[in-house]
Amino acid sequence: MEIAASNIVRSEAGRDKGKLFVVLAVEGEFLLLADGKSRKVESPKRKKRRHVLFVEAESNRLSEKIKSQERITNSELRRTLAAFREAVQPDQEG
């Protein structure tokens, strides 16, 4: 699947391997990634497309803001990624 702005991706190479990011923009072969914690919106990580793995296409308020190029906050990114992690790996009790 083609990676586009507002998608959730996982880094597959580099020291951030295994971390989840939100794609803020696509610049040819490169993606601008942020997670709101180690990589802020103000200074996104520039990473080659082949070094990330598509995880999910988000369809919520944050993705609408990214696509319309509205200002987004780091806390919105953290909240979105935390909700995704919780949906994929809910706490198992028992």
Side-chain angles (χ1 to χ4, degrees):
M1 174 163 207
E2 188 66 26
I3 298 174
S6 81
N7 288 162
I8 294 178
V9 296
R10 184 174 67 230
S11 174
E12 291 294 309
R15 64 175 70 171
D16 57 5
K17 184 176 182 176
K19 291 180 100 178
L20 292 175
F21 293 96
V22 175
V23 179
L24 300 181
V26 178
E27 297 178 343
E29 184 183 343
F30 292 94
L31 306 171
L32 295 180
L33 310 173
D35 65 359
K37 190 173 183 180
S38 61
R39 277 298 177 169
K40 309 277 185 178
V41 173
E42 300 82 25
S43 60
K45 172 75 176 159
R46 188 170 181 250
K47 199 162 187 85
K48 285 190 176 183
R49 190 182 297 256
R50 64 181 167 183
H51 293 158
V52 299
L53 179 67
F54 173 82
V55 176
E56 183 172 305
E58 270 300 302
S59 59
N60 58 20
R61 177 69 183 125
L62 179 66
S63 64
E64 293 172 15
K65 287 177 83 170
I66 291 173
K67 289 175 183 173
S68 64
Q69 298 188 356
E70 291 181 43
R71 188 174 185 280
I72 58 173
T73 63
N74 291 311
S75 62
E76 288 175 315
L77 287 176
R78 289 192 305 268
R79 220 175 300 126
T80 299
L81 291 173
F84 175 76
R85 282 187 202 101
E86 184 64 30
V88 172
Q89 298 175 343
D91 291 337
Q92 297 176 356
E93 300 200 17

